Amino acid sequence: MVVDVSVMFILIQTIAVFLILLVIAFAVPTLNPLLYVAIFLFYLLYVLSTIVFPFGRTFSTIFEALPDPFAKLLIGSAILFYVSELIAEHISDAGYGSLASLTHFIVKIFILTLWISQTTRLIEILSTLITK
């Protein structure tokens, strides 16, 4: 029941942020893009710290039976990819599509570097199996 109350609270806060953005759009139209980006980033940080990270910790405890780094790497990669997608879409909507695709590409490369040690172990195991 606590989760339902907190989710409803986040939804009400989302509506409040949307109404604030509408007021800003009509009151100060020249500062609207700057204030929109600032509110988006603060709200994204708030949602990540109150919902996404606790969900990731809970989800990783479910998969404790898996070998140690795999569950954490999967959950971390999914969260990084989704946050990167959100920010890239936000940058693209602002009119900087090439910068958005570049940042999304950088995060994809970062996710691949997180998996390099596990991938090299898997390749070594497969190569020993193939050679025998």
Side-chain angles (χ1 to χ4, degrees), residues 53-123:
F53 293 145
F55 171 74
R57 277 188 233 112
T58 304
F59 206 64
S60 66
T61 58
I62 292 172
F63 292 105
E64 284 181 351
L66 289 176
D68 187 33
F70 289 113
K72 291 178 184 177
L73 281 174
L74 282 172
I75 293 167
S77 298
I79 289 173
L80 277 174
F81 187 81
Y82 183 70
V83 169
S84 169
E85 187 73 27
L86 280 175
I87 292 174
E89 184 178 333
H90 186 74
I91 293 171
S92 179
D93 286 345
Y96 302 103
S98 59
L99 183 63
S101 62
L102 180 65
T103 57
H104 197 53
F105 176 71
I106 290 169
V107 171
K108 288 178 184 176
I109 295 296
F110 179 72
I111 290 171
L112 286 174
T113 58
L114 289 176
W115 282 90
I116 282 181
S117 63
Q118 301 304 319
T119 306
T120 54
R121 276 193 229 155
L122 180 67
I123 290 172

Side-chain angles (χ1 to χ4, degrees), residues 45-58:
L45 179 65
Y46 174 72
V47 168
L48 284 174
S49 64
T50 58
I51 292 179
V52 177
F53 293 145
F55 171 74
R57 277 188 233 112
T58 304

Side-chain angles (χ1 to χ4, degrees), residues 14-37:
T14 304
I15 293 170
V17 166
F18 177 67
L19 291 175
I20 290 170
L21 286 172
L22 284 177
V23 168
I24 289 171
F26 287 113
V28 191
T30 56
L31 288 178
N32 188 30
L34 179 65
L35 293 174
Y36 173 65
V37 169

